[in-house]
């Protein structure tokens, strides 16, 4: 494959892999890379504690108090949490059905890593597989991003029910890193695919040369000979 197309494809895949693996680690291991968060101004109760903010990651949720201290739940696949106002007049539950799908993130990361390994090969078939894997990783990342959007929308809806809390919800860094990773994977898949197509076209345009006759011209019958 032409280096003009090969090197950018590898760079796109590598950047997408780094971003994807960071999001996959997420909370409680990387507190800054959550998916969605809610600010509740110290007017909410979670597990009996008055909290100022709650963040939702791939593996767990973390709550923050006014003094800045952080409490994270046990890491696991699919978690749930209950939020109520300080007067306990209203209560909402973010069930595990809204967080279980976040496990698609590490699956997309694994496929991205395999595509990255295949992209280093110069073999035509292997580069085709790398292109297909890039698009597959992009599809999985798109599914993960849709799940992130659903979690944010549901959290925004549920926090709105707690009128006494006067809370607000925001998308978090992990949300946007997933979106950037999706764009990079699409670019990587297209780059590898177009690079392979360019190689095929350049190969098809290379005609075989024939020995010339004594008159200095290629014999007429050899011009139509099938190779």
């Amino acid at each position: 494959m032409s280096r003009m197309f090969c090197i950018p494809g590898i760079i796109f895949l590598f950047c997408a892999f780094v971003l994807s693996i960071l999001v996959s680690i997420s909370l409680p291991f990387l507190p800054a890379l959550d998916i969605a968060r809610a600010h509740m101004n110290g007017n909410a109760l979670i597990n009996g504690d008055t909290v100022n903010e709650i963040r939702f990651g791939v593996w767990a949720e973390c709550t923050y108090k006014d003094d800045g201290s952080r409490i994270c739940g046990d890491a696991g696949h699919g978690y749930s949490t209950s939020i109520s106002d300080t007067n306990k007049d209203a209560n909402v539950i973010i069930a595990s059905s809204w967080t279980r799908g976040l496990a698609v993130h590490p699956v997309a990361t694994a496929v991205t890593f395999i595509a990255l390994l295949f992209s280093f090969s110069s073999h035509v078939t292997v580069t085709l597989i790398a292109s297909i894997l890039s698009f597959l990783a992009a599809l999985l990342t798109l599914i993960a991003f849709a799940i992130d959007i659903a979690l944010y929308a549901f959290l925004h809806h549920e926090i709105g029910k707690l009128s006494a809390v006067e809370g607000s919800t925001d998308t978090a860094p992990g949300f946007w890193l997933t979106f950037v990773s999706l764009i990079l994977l699409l670019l990587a898949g297209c780059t590898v695919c177009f690079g392979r197509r360019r190689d095929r076209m350049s190969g098809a345009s290379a005609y075989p040369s024939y020995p010339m006759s004594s008159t200095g011209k290629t014999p007429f019958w050899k011009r139509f000979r099938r190779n």
Side-chain angles (χ1 to χ4, degrees):
M1 178 182 295
S2 174
R3 295 182 64 85
M4 177 181 176
F5 287 88
C6 180
I7 295 178
I10 294 176
I11 294 175
F12 289 147
L13 278 173
F14 178 76
C15 293
F17 171 69
V18 172
L19 296 181
S20 184
I21 197 172
L22 289 175
V23 176
S24 297
I25 296 174
S26 190
L27 295 176
F29 310 106
L30 293 177
L33 296 180
D34 49 322
I35 303 299
R37 58 183 64 174
H39 305 277
M40 294 165 288
N41 304 317
N43 297 323
L45 288 175
I46 300 178
N47 297 325
D49 296 322
T50 303
V51 300
N52 186 53
E53 182 182 35
I54 182 171
R55 299 181 181 183
F56 292 83
V58 174
W59 306 111
E61 84 286 355
C62 291
T63 57
Y64 292 78
K65 297 183 179 181
D66 290 333
D67 58 4
S69 61
R70 175 170 60 97
I71 302 176
C72 294
D74 297 331
H77 173 217
Y79 57 89
S80 61
T81 187
S82 176
I83 307 172
S84 62
D85 56 35
T86 52
N87 297 323
K88 297 183 179 180
D89 294 330
N91 178 75
V92 296
I93 297 177
I94 309 299
S96 60
S97 58
W98 292 94
T99 59
R100 189 176 295 115
L102 296 174
V104 177
H105 282 282
V107 177
T109 301
V111 177
T112 302
F113 178 68
I114 297 174
L116 176 62
L117 294 180
F118 275 72
S119 67
F120 284 100
S121 174
S122 59
H123 194 278
V124 175
T125 304
V126 178
T127 54
L128 175 61
I129 295 175
S131 179
I132 295 174
L133 288 175
S134 297
F135 285 121
L136 176 59
L139 175 61
L140 291 172
T141 304
L142 176 62
I143 295 174
F145 188 60
I147 295 172
D148 294 347
I149 294 175
L151 173 62
Y152 166 74
F154 182 72
L155 178 63
H156 179 77
H157 178 265
E158 293 301 293
I159 293 297
K161 294 180 179 180
L162 303 175
S163 57
V165 172
E166 298 180 354
S168 61
T169 55
D170 294 304
T171 53
F175 182 95
W176 295 110
L177 289 182
T178 301
F179 177 72
V180 174
S181 180
L182 171 62
I183 300 301
L184 290 173
L185 286 170
L186 291 174
L187 290 175
C190 292
T191 301
V192 175
C193 182
F194 291 156
R196 179 176 179 273
R197 183 172 180 270
R198 176 177 176 140
D199 276 352
R200 291 184 61 185
M201 292 178 63
S202 61
S205 61
Y207 293 100
S209 59
Y210 297 102
M212 294 186 178
S213 64
S214 59
T215 59
K217 296 182 179 181
T218 302
F220 177 79
W221 62 272
K222 286 187 176 181
R223 299 179 187 177
F224 300 93
R225 184 180 178 180
R226 184 175 182 180
N227 293 300

